[in-house]
Every structure is written in C-alpha cells, then in structure tokens.
Amino acid sequence: MAENKVKGFARGLTNYGDAGFSLYLRRSFAKSMGYSKEMLARPVVGIADSRSGFNNCHRHFPELIEAVKRGVLAAGGLPIDFPTVSLGEVFLSPTSMMFRNLMSIDVEEMIRAQPMDSVVLVGGCDKTVPAQLMGAASADLPAVQLLAGPMMPTSFRGERLGACTDCRRFWAMHRAGKVDEQGIEEVEGNLATTAGTCAVMGTASTMASIAEALGMALPGSAAIPAVHADRLRAGEASGRRAVELAKDPIRPSQIITAKSVENALRVLLAIGGSTNAIVHLTAIAGRAGVKIDLKRLNVLSDSTPVLVDLKPTGQHYMSDLYAAGGVGAVLRELKPLLNLDCMTVTGETLGERMKHEEGAWVDRAVVRTFSEPLAKEGGLVALFGSLAPNGAILKRSAADPSLFEKEGPAVVFASLDDMAARGDDPDLDIKPDDFMVLQNSGPKSGYAMPEAGYLPIPQKLARAGVKDMVRISDARMSGTAYGTIVLHVSPEAAVGGPLALVRNGDRVKLSVRERKIDLLVAEGELRKRKTEWRAPSATPERGYAKLYMDHVLQAEHGCDFDFLRKI
C-alpha cells in the first residue's frame, strides 16, 4: 500500500517476524477495548492529549477531546487519544523550557510509533504548542494543531483583571509597598478564574497565533476562549479535518516552509507577541530545515506595524481579540506583506483562505488598520554588538522609549541566587540610570534559561517610584512582562560569552536605533578576564539533565538539541 494511503491499524506493525500475525494480534488486542471490525477498518486519527493535574491551562481537555472525537467519528474516522508529556508552566523546576525538547521527542516518537493516519495536537500552555509543532514537524504525519484557548478575564474592584500581565503589575505594586499582604492575597485569588492559557498576549497566546499564521491550526481558532462553545466547535472541526487529511495528506513539511515562517514572524511582530516566540519559532522552523536570521527579523520589524492593542503592549485581552475578528483580522491587514501562496492545513493557500473572510467585521479598538497602527514598527528587535555577538532580543513595544539610547554603568549579579540574595539589599549600590546585568541564566547555566529576564526593580528604587530601567541577561522573559529588557544574550555567560566578563562599573551602551548592545571595555582587559573565567556549573552525570546539557543549542538556534534540527 502506498505511503500516502490510509493504513489505520495496519500502520507500523509491531515486529514479530510475521506481518500477518502482527496485524492479527493487534486487532485482537484492540477488540479487547470494544472496537468492532467496522471501526477497526476506519482511518485512525491520533489525539495527542497533554493534560495533567499539574497543568491548570488544560483542565478543560476532557470536554475538548470529546469534541475532537465527535468530529472524527462524524467524518468516518476512528479517534484514539494518547498521553504525552505535559508542561504546566508554573509547576516545573527549574523551568518548563528545560523539558520542551523532551516533550517534542515524546510527541514525535509516539506519532511515529503508534498506528495513526493523522493526528490532532491538543495543547496550549507556553512550551506545549512549540513542543507539539516541533514533534509533528519531525514526524511529518498530517497534523492539526488544536489550541487550548485563553482564559477569560474577571472583574476585580471595578477593573478587569487577568493572568498574567496583571499578575506582574500587582506584584510590582506589592514590592513597592502599594498593595499590602491582604490585598495581594485577594488579587491572587482573582487572577486566573477559568480554564485556559493566560488571558493576555503572553507566550501561549503568541504561539497560538503563530500556529494559525503558519497554517497548522484551523482559521479563526487561535483566540477562541477556552470556555467558549466555539472552542468545542473548533475541536469538532479539527477532528473532521484530521480525517480528511488521513485520506488526502498534507504534511507539516508542506506547510512549515521559509515563506510561512516569514508570515508567522510578521504576525508575531504585528501582535506585539512574546520574545519567547523567537526561540520557539526558530526551533520549529529548524525541524523543517528553515533558518531564522535575526538580522532578517530586524528588516521585517522595521516594516511591520503593531496592530493589536492587547496587554502587555496595549490594554485588551485575548477574548477581546476573538470578539474583534481574531488572527484573521490581523492577517487581512498584513496582506500586502504576506506570502499568500503558502499551503495551510485546510488544503487552501493562505490567500484562498483570506478570500472567504473579506468584508468581515473588525473592532478597530482592538485590531488597528495598517494605515493607523498602534506603533509603526514591529514589537521586537534583535541587537548585536560586543556584548551579544550572536544576538539578543528586546521587546520595544513593551519598553520605555526614553531608555532606548542610553549608556550606563553595570550592576552585575553573577547568578539568580546572587540576585535573590542582594537585589533588595538596602545597601546595594544601584541607581535608576544603572544597567542591571544578570549572568549565568541561559540554556547551559544549570537554570535552563528560565523566565528570569524580568529582573525585579530593587525594592528601594521601586519604593522611590522607579518603574523601569535597562536590564540585560541571557535569560528569557514571560510574554506577559514589560520593561526595557535585553534578553537571550548570546553566547551566554555559562559558555564564556562576553556577558560572563562584565564586572560592576563597566560601561554598557544600548542603541535600539542602531540595533546595538556593546560592552565598553578594552579588548586587552577582556582577554585577561577570559583567562580567569571558569564555567559556573558541572555537567550532570545522568538522565535527561545530562542529555539536555550535552546537546542544547544557544538561543539563536532555538535552544533545540543539536541532533534534532535539520540545519
């Protein structure tokens, strides 16, 4: 039977040296689960289920997966769900980023090893969608990405409140002494009140938008709230489409291409999306043999306006984006900049898909027109220079423009533990115009590149009214955060990059205009410091931690494992 034909339960037979016996035995065991002969003859649609008791974002998955199964059955397929690694963002130590590649391997191998003709990937929490798309790209079986959907915001003391930009805002107020213990406890109970991913344009919402922009998720499905009935209808539609793909395959390799990745970058810039998305999209693209050049990112950013008024860049929430027209409204505004001939999971090109939506209503308070954007330039820029030879990232749409062209002395923290110990020390010698520098928080630091780049303003400055200052690290930052924060500095400090050589009082120069971040220290002095440098952490002796440390790449390569990329 040809590779692109439906094989169902006959796909990938367990090897007993007798193919007939293998199929006979498989059907026998499948019948123990109550399947009839007729059902076993249908195309098999796998459903990758990433739910867990340690993942609040996915607590509605039982109902959502039932909707997928309904769609598969209605279209004549046999739905079979299977578990994968689940990455609950705030429940993992040291960080979920360490386990993204592990989940991608799990997804890839379970798609490949188990008998399915296509797969629906059900996920939403920050690292889940990247891991699923990475795994699907590597397995290259027809796949549909079904997103968890965002939480709904709630009403709190006369204002709308939602995770997680508001989490950080209130915590900053608490640190500044403006919200007391009782108040912060009350806020804690009102930030996340429904199932779903963070309600703002954080990493989860950004990756959902990118999945739709890439063409791997059904049109209009990225922004549907988790608790909305339309989310269940999207699940049913995803199941139906997966059966059609089983019969007439379109593979991820036909969808994730250089052109569609560029479309996704355009959307990322236009929505003011998370800095994490650069790392994740680079990893997804790398699995398909597509390279993302950070210098090309700057070219795209300079010609792509910010169109979406969502927190943390703006004021609204993801549920507002859905009501305003969703990602489709953004795509239509970007149409002159997009590659319209890209294939999507629907079987139509992006241009053909957009024709169906011409004239659709859009709430212009949420999605601005191309001619009257929220900002004329994209939300992200890449910086290069003597401090970051391989690049760094700044989210300018969530930063203070008055800090974009600045030089100042460094106040250096050697590690996260050092920052925790000294950051709020009243005797810390730090001023508002200083540059906070965190070392050893990148991929190979032992912390596995946590979302620690949002360095807290030292308490004594926060209480004096300081709301932002330049902060630099090789860490990541939550997409829900804000501030003038330089991230993903590469090479990282833990491998001896220039960031490792910065000392207190060194002058650092930031120029967003020139896309530069420089350490103003003489070459001879840096060479001397390099000879004195020692790696901060030993390589783990066993297990996944050793695999991770031995093979993880730097941020500009998506922090994927070297043996998993095609480039």
Side-chain angles (χ1 to χ4, degrees), residues 1-34:
M1 194 176 289
E3 178 58 30
N4 66 340
K5 298 296 184 181
V6 169
K7 291 186 177 180
F9 264 92
R11 180 181 293 273
L13 291 171
T14 309
N15 194 345
Y16 296 107
D18 181 338
F21 172 76
S22 296
L23 184 55
Y24 154 76
L25 188 62
R26 177 176 287 179
R27 285 174 176 163
S28 175
F29 277 65
K31 286 181 178 179
S32 76
M33 294 186 283

mmCIF file of all heavy atoms in Angstrom, residues 1-34:
data_model
loop_
_atom_site.group_PDB
_atom_site.id
_atom_site.type_symbol
_atom_site.label_atom_id
_atom_site.label_comp_id
_atom_site.label_asym_id
_atom_site.label_seq_id
_atom_site.Cartn_x
_atom_site.Cartn_y
_atom_site.Cartn_z
ATOM 1 N N MET A 1 0.855 -1.201 0.000
ATOM 2 C CA MET A 1 0.000 0.000 0.000
ATOM 3 C C MET A 1 0.889 1.249 0.000
ATOM 4 O O MET A 1 1.868 1.317 0.736
ATOM 5 C CB MET A 1 -0.888 0.006 1.253
ATOM 6 C CG MET A 1 -2.043 1.014 1.188
ATOM 7 S SD MET A 1 -3.124 0.876 2.653
ATOM 8 C CE MET A 1 -3.920 -0.685 2.327
ATOM 9 N N ALA A 2 0.584 2.247 -0.827
ATOM 10 C CA ALA A 2 1.408 3.449 -0.921
ATOM 11 C C ALA A 2 1.440 4.176 0.414
ATOM 12 O O ALA A 2 0.490 4.137 1.184
ATOM 13 C CB ALA A 2 0.847 4.369 -2.013
ATOM 14 N N GLU A 3 2.541 4.893 0.641
ATOM 15 C CA GLU A 3 2.750 5.532 1.933
ATOM 16 C C GLU A 3 1.672 6.559 2.259
ATOM 17 O O GLU A 3 1.313 6.754 3.404
ATOM 18 C CB GLU A 3 4.136 6.198 1.950
ATOM 19 C CG GLU A 3 4.483 6.943 3.224
ATOM 20 C CD GLU A 3 4.441 6.060 4.459
ATOM 21 O OE1 GLU A 3 4.692 4.858 4.350
ATOM 22 O OE2 GLU A 3 4.152 6.581 5.553
ATOM 23 N N ASN A 4 1.115 7.225 1.217
ATOM 24 C CA ASN A 4 0.139 8.264 1.479
ATOM 25 C C ASN A 4 -1.295 7.744 1.535
ATOM 26 O O ASN A 4 -2.234 8.512 1.594
ATOM 27 C CB ASN A 4 0.245 9.372 0.416
ATOM 28 C CG ASN A 4 -0.141 8.887 -0.967
ATOM 29 O OD1 ASN A 4 -0.133 7.699 -1.237
ATOM 30 N ND2 ASN A 4 -0.478 9.830 -1.841
ATOM 31 N N LYS A 5 -1.486 6.434 1.541
ATOM 32 C CA LYS A 5 -2.823 5.864 1.643
ATOM 33 C C LYS A 5 -3.154 5.546 3.095
ATOM 34 O O LYS A 5 -2.266 5.325 3.921
ATOM 35 C CB LYS A 5 -2.931 4.592 0.796
ATOM 36 C CG LYS A 5 -2.712 4.820 -0.699
ATOM 37 C CD LYS A 5 -3.780 5.721 -1.298
ATOM 38 C CE LYS A 5 -3.599 5.845 -2.816
ATOM 39 N NZ LYS A 5 -4.600 6.740 -3.414
ATOM 40 N N VAL A 6 -4.448 5.508 3.390
ATOM 41 C CA VAL A 6 -4.898 5.149 4.725
ATOM 42 C C VAL A 6 -4.441 3.739 5.074
ATOM 43 O O VAL A 6 -4.613 2.802 4.299
ATOM 44 C CB VAL A 6 -6.436 5.253 4.811
ATOM 45 C CG1 VAL A 6 -6.948 4.628 6.104
ATOM 46 C CG2 VAL A 6 -6.875 6.712 4.732
ATOM 47 N N LYS A 7 -3.856 3.587 6.245
ATOM 48 C CA LYS A 7 -3.423 2.267 6.712
ATOM 49 C C LYS A 7 -4.085 1.881 8.019
ATOM 50 O O LYS A 7 -4.182 0.701 8.347
ATOM 51 C CB LYS A 7 -1.900 2.237 6.882
ATOM 52 C CG LYS A 7 -1.134 2.311 5.578
ATOM 53 C CD LYS A 7 0.356 2.135 5.831
ATOM 54 C CE LYS A 7 1.142 2.144 4.527
ATOM 55 N NZ LYS A 7 2.591 1.970 4.761
ATOM 56 N N GLY A 8 -4.531 2.887 8.787
ATOM 57 C CA GLY A 8 -5.208 2.600 10.043
ATOM 58 C C GLY A 8 -4.386 1.715 10.959
ATOM 59 O O GLY A 8 -3.188 1.940 11.156
ATOM 60 N N PHE A 9 -5.028 0.667 11.473
ATOM 61 C CA PHE A 9 -4.357 -0.200 12.427
ATOM 62 C C PHE A 9 -3.258 -1.056 11.797
ATOM 63 O O PHE A 9 -2.472 -1.682 12.507
ATOM 64 C CB PHE A 9 -5.380 -1.100 13.135
ATOM 65 C CG PHE A 9 -5.820 -0.536 14.456
ATOM 66 C CD1 PHE A 9 -6.934 0.284 14.529
ATOM 67 C CD2 PHE A 9 -5.114 -0.807 15.612
ATOM 68 C CE1 PHE A 9 -7.327 0.818 15.733
ATOM 69 C CE2 PHE A 9 -5.511 -0.272 16.821
ATOM 70 C CZ PHE A 9 -6.617 0.545 16.893
ATOM 71 N N ALA A 10 -3.172 -1.062 10.478
ATOM 72 C CA ALA A 10 -2.113 -1.817 9.819
ATOM 73 C C ALA A 10 -0.825 -1.006 9.685
ATOM 74 O O ALA A 10 0.180 -1.515 9.205
ATOM 75 C CB ALA A 10 -2.577 -2.260 8.437
ATOM 76 N N ARG A 11 -0.845 0.243 10.139
ATOM 77 C CA ARG A 11 0.337 1.098 10.018
ATOM 78 C C ARG A 11 1.369 0.725 11.089
ATOM 79 O O ARG A 11 1.041 0.571 12.260
ATOM 80 C CB ARG A 11 -0.066 2.565 10.160
ATOM 81 C CG ARG A 11 1.100 3.551 10.048
ATOM 82 C CD ARG A 11 0.631 4.982 10.210
ATOM 83 N NE ARG A 11 -0.209 5.393 9.102
ATOM 84 C CZ ARG A 11 0.251 5.912 7.957
ATOM 85 N NH1 ARG A 11 1.558 6.071 7.789
ATOM 86 N NH2 ARG A 11 -0.583 6.269 6.989
ATOM 87 N N GLY A 12 2.626 0.657 10.682
ATOM 88 C CA GLY A 12 3.717 0.465 11.635
ATOM 89 C C GLY A 12 3.541 -0.753 12.521
ATOM 90 O O GLY A 12 3.533 -0.646 13.744
ATOM 91 N N LEU A 13 3.416 -1.905 11.948
ATOM 92 C CA LEU A 13 3.158 -3.115 12.735
ATOM 93 C C LEU A 13 4.327 -3.460 13.659
ATOM 94 O O LEU A 13 5.495 -3.306 13.297
ATOM 95 C CB LEU A 13 2.888 -4.297 11.805
ATOM 96 C CG LEU A 13 1.560 -4.236 11.028
ATOM 97 C CD1 LEU A 13 1.523 -5.343 9.992
ATOM 98 C CD2 LEU A 13 0.378 -4.342 11.985
ATOM 99 N N THR A 14 3.979 -3.919 14.846
ATOM 100 C CA THR A 14 4.975 -4.439 15.772
ATOM 101 C C THR A 14 5.675 -5.622 15.114
ATOM 102 O O THR A 14 5.030 -6.474 14.500
ATOM 103 C CB THR A 14 4.302 -4.884 17.080
ATOM 104 O OG1 THR A 14 3.478 -3.817 17.544
ATOM 105 C CG2 THR A 14 5.334 -5.241 18.136
ATOM 106 N N ASN A 15 6.978 -5.684 15.243
ATOM 107 C CA ASN A 15 7.746 -6.686 14.511
ATOM 108 C C ASN A 15 7.872 -7.986 15.309
ATOM 109 O O ASN A 15 8.590 -8.056 16.312
ATOM 110 C CB ASN A 15 9.134 -6.134 14.176
ATOM 111 C CG ASN A 15 9.847 -6.983 13.148
ATOM 112 O OD1 ASN A 15 9.449 -8.115 12.870
ATOM 113 N ND2 ASN A 15 10.906 -6.439 12.578
ATOM 114 N N TYR A 16 7.153 -8.999 14.850
ATOM 115 C CA TYR A 16 7.290 -10.348 15.404
ATOM 116 C C TYR A 16 7.868 -11.314 14.358
ATOM 117 O O TYR A 16 7.865 -12.523 14.555
ATOM 118 C CB TYR A 16 5.936 -10.877 15.879
ATOM 119 C CG TYR A 16 5.326 -10.088 17.016
ATOM 120 C CD1 TYR A 16 4.233 -9.258 16.796
ATOM 121 C CD2 TYR A 16 5.849 -10.179 18.301
ATOM 122 C CE1 TYR A 16 3.669 -8.533 17.829
ATOM 123 C CE2 TYR A 16 5.295 -9.448 19.346
ATOM 124 C CZ TYR A 16 4.204 -8.628 19.108
ATOM 125 O OH TYR A 16 3.646 -7.918 20.134
ATOM 126 N N GLY A 17 8.293 -10.758 13.229
ATOM 127 C CA GLY A 17 8.818 -11.594 12.157
ATOM 128 C C GLY A 17 7.742 -12.173 11.266
ATOM 129 O O GLY A 17 8.023 -12.976 10.380
ATOM 130 N N ASP A 18 6.495 -11.803 11.485
ATOM 131 C CA ASP A 18 5.358 -12.320 10.708
ATOM 132 C C ASP A 18 4.309 -11.218 10.670
ATOM 133 O O ASP A 18 3.576 -10.998 11.636
ATOM 134 C CB ASP A 18 4.811 -13.579 11.374
ATOM 135 C CG ASP A 18 3.641 -14.204 10.605
ATOM 136 O OD1 ASP A 18 2.985 -13.483 9.826
ATOM 137 O OD2 ASP A 18 3.373 -15.390 10.823
ATOM 138 N N ALA A 19 4.226 -10.472 9.549
ATOM 139 C CA ALA A 19 3.334 -9.322 9.461
ATOM 140 C C ALA A 19 1.872 -9.718 9.654
ATOM 141 O O ALA A 19 1.100 -9.004 10.297
ATOM 142 C CB ALA A 19 3.515 -8.625 8.106
ATOM 143 N N GLY A 20 1.480 -10.843 9.096
ATOM 144 C CA GLY A 20 0.103 -11.302 9.260
ATOM 145 C C GLY A 20 -0.235 -11.541 10.717
ATOM 146 O O GLY A 20 -1.308 -11.157 11.196
ATOM 147 N N PHE A 21 0.668 -12.200 11.426
ATOM 148 C CA PHE A 21 0.449 -12.444 12.847
ATOM 149 C C PHE A 21 0.392 -11.121 13.627
ATOM 150 O O PHE A 21 -0.434 -10.952 14.524
ATOM 151 C CB PHE A 21 1.569 -13.326 13.404
ATOM 152 C CG PHE A 21 1.538 -13.475 14.898
ATOM 153 C CD1 PHE A 21 0.609 -14.315 15.505
ATOM 154 C CD2 PHE A 21 2.423 -12.766 15.699
ATOM 155 C CE1 PHE A 21 0.565 -14.428 16.888
ATOM 156 C CE2 PHE A 21 2.382 -12.887 17.077
ATOM 157 C CZ PHE A 21 1.450 -13.728 17.677
ATOM 158 N N SER A 22 1.272 -10.176 13.255
ATOM 159 C CA SER A 22 1.308 -8.889 13.947
ATOM 160 C C SER A 22 -0.029 -8.173 13.836
ATOM 161 O O SER A 22 -0.546 -7.628 14.827
ATOM 162 C CB SER A 22 2.419 -8.011 13.365
ATOM 163 O OG SER A 22 3.681 -8.581 13.593
ATOM 164 N N LEU A 23 -0.618 -8.144 12.623
ATOM 165 C CA LEU A 23 -1.898 -7.470 12.436
ATOM 166 C C LEU A 23 -3.011 -8.216 13.153
ATOM 167 O O LEU A 23 -3.880 -7.610 13.796
ATOM 168 C CB LEU A 23 -2.206 -7.350 10.941
ATOM 169 C CG LEU A 23 -3.476 -6.588 10.574
ATOM 170 C CD1 LEU A 23 -3.487 -5.191 11.173
ATOM 171 C CD2 LEU A 23 -3.626 -6.517 9.048
ATOM 172 N N TYR A 24 -3.005 -9.515 13.065
ATOM 173 C CA TYR A 24 -3.990 -10.366 13.761
ATOM 174 C C TYR A 24 -3.950 -10.108 15.272
ATOM 175 O O TYR A 24 -4.985 -9.916 15.923
ATOM 176 C CB TYR A 24 -3.687 -11.819 13.437
ATOM 177 C CG TYR A 24 -4.122 -12.841 14.448
ATOM 178 C CD1 TYR A 24 -5.453 -13.229 14.565
ATOM 179 C CD2 TYR A 24 -3.174 -13.434 15.287
ATOM 180 C CE1 TYR A 24 -5.833 -14.187 15.503
ATOM 181 C CE2 TYR A 24 -3.540 -14.387 16.209
ATOM 182 C CZ TYR A 24 -4.880 -14.764 16.328
ATOM 183 O OH TYR A 24 -5.256 -15.705 17.244
ATOM 184 N N LEU A 25 -2.732 -10.050 15.830
ATOM 185 C CA LEU A 25 -2.586 -9.858 17.266
ATOM 186 C C LEU A 25 -3.024 -8.453 17.670
ATOM 187 O O LEU A 25 -3.701 -8.263 18.695
ATOM 188 C CB LEU A 25 -1.128 -10.098 17.676
ATOM 189 C CG LEU A 25 -0.835 -10.118 19.176
ATOM 190 C CD1 LEU A 25 -1.595 -11.256 19.853
ATOM 191 C CD2 LEU A 25 0.658 -10.241 19.431
ATOM 192 N N ARG A 26 -2.661 -7.458 16.852
ATOM 193 C CA ARG A 26 -3.043 -6.079 17.154
ATOM 194 C C ARG A 26 -4.557 -5.923 17.155
ATOM 195 O O ARG A 26 -5.127 -5.308 18.053
ATOM 196 C CB ARG A 26 -2.405 -5.121 16.138
ATOM 197 C CG ARG A 26 -2.811 -3.668 16.335
ATOM 198 C CD ARG A 26 -2.085 -2.747 15.386
ATOM 199 N NE ARG A 26 -0.672 -2.601 15.782
ATOM 200 C CZ ARG A 26 0.203 -1.871 15.110
ATOM 201 N NH1 ARG A 26 -0.160 -1.251 13.996
ATOM 202 N NH2 ARG A 26 1.453 -1.773 15.523
ATOM 203 N N ARG A 27 -5.214 -6.480 16.145
ATOM 204 C CA ARG A 27 -6.681 -6.383 16.092
ATOM 205 C C ARG A 27 -7.320 -7.119 17.259
ATOM 206 O O ARG A 27 -8.330 -6.664 17.818
ATOM 207 C CB ARG A 27 -7.191 -6.941 14.774
ATOM 208 C CG ARG A 27 -6.942 -6.018 13.591
ATOM 209 C CD ARG A 27 -7.346 -6.678 12.285
ATOM 210 N NE ARG A 27 -7.203 -5.762 11.154
ATOM 211 C CZ ARG A 27 -7.161 -6.137 9.887
ATOM 212 N NH1 ARG A 27 -7.232 -7.435 9.571
ATOM 213 N NH2 ARG A 27 -7.037 -5.247 8.931
ATOM 214 N N SER A 28 -6.737 -8.239 17.634
ATOM 215 C CA SER A 28 -7.261 -8.993 18.766
ATOM 216 C C SER A 28 -7.236 -8.160 20.043
ATOM 217 O O SER A 28 -8.221 -8.079 20.772
ATOM 218 C CB SER A 28 -6.438 -10.278 18.951
ATOM 219 O OG SER A 28 -6.850 -10.975 20.105
ATOM 220 N N PHE A 29 -6.091 -7.514 20.281
ATOM 221 C CA PHE A 29 -5.981 -6.698 21.488
ATOM 222 C C PHE A 29 -6.844 -5.440 21.393
ATOM 223 O O PHE A 29 -7.392 -4.970 22.395
ATOM 224 C CB PHE A 29 -4.516 -6.343 21.742
ATOM 225 C CG PHE A 29 -3.766 -7.433 22.466
ATOM 226 C CD1 PHE A 29 -3.551 -8.671 21.867
ATOM 227 C CD2 PHE A 29 -3.268 -7.232 23.735
ATOM 228 C CE1 PHE A 29 -2.871 -9.688 22.516
ATOM 229 C CE2 PHE A 29 -2.578 -8.232 24.398
ATOM 230 C CZ PHE A 29 -2.380 -9.476 23.789
ATOM 231 N N ALA A 30 -6.968 -4.892 20.187
ATOM 232 C CA ALA A 30 -7.838 -3.725 20.013
ATOM 233 C C ALA A 30 -9.291 -4.091 20.287
ATOM 234 O O ALA A 30 -10.045 -3.301 20.872
ATOM 235 C CB ALA A 30 -7.691 -3.167 18.598
ATOM 236 N N LYS A 31 -9.674 -5.290 19.904
ATOM 237 C CA LYS A 31 -11.055 -5.721 20.150
ATOM 238 C C LYS A 31 -11.339 -5.884 21.638
ATOM 239 O O LYS A 31 -12.495 -5.800 22.076
ATOM 240 C CB LYS A 31 -11.345 -7.009 19.387
ATOM 241 C CG LYS A 31 -11.519 -6.771 17.887
ATOM 242 C CD LYS A 31 -11.827 -8.039 17.106
ATOM 243 C CE LYS A 31 -12.041 -7.725 15.621
ATOM 244 N NZ LYS A 31 -12.323 -8.933 14.819
ATOM 245 N N SER A 32 -10.289 -6.075 22.432
ATOM 246 C CA SER A 32 -10.490 -6.151 23.877
ATOM 247 C C SER A 32 -10.955 -4.817 24.448
ATOM 248 O O SER A 32 -11.462 -4.755 25.574
ATOM 249 C CB SER A 32 -9.194 -6.585 24.573
ATOM 250 O OG SER A 32 -8.267 -5.528 24.647
ATOM 251 N N MET A 33 -10.783 -3.740 23.661
ATOM 252 C CA MET A 33 -11.263 -2.417 24.077
ATOM 253 C C MET A 33 -12.665 -2.130 23.546
ATOM 254 O O MET A 33 -13.167 -1.021 23.695
ATOM 255 C CB MET A 33 -10.274 -1.338 23.617
ATOM 256 C CG MET A 33 -8.917 -1.441 24.314
ATOM 257 S SD MET A 33 -7.767 -0.096 23.932
ATOM 258 C CE MET A 33 -7.191 -0.570 22.306
ATOM 259 N N GLY A 34 -13.255 -3.127 22.903
ATOM 260 C CA GLY A 34 -14.650 -2.989 22.497
ATOM 261 C C GLY A 34 -14.862 -2.486 21.090
ATOM 262 O O GLY A 34 -15.995 -2.209 20.694
#
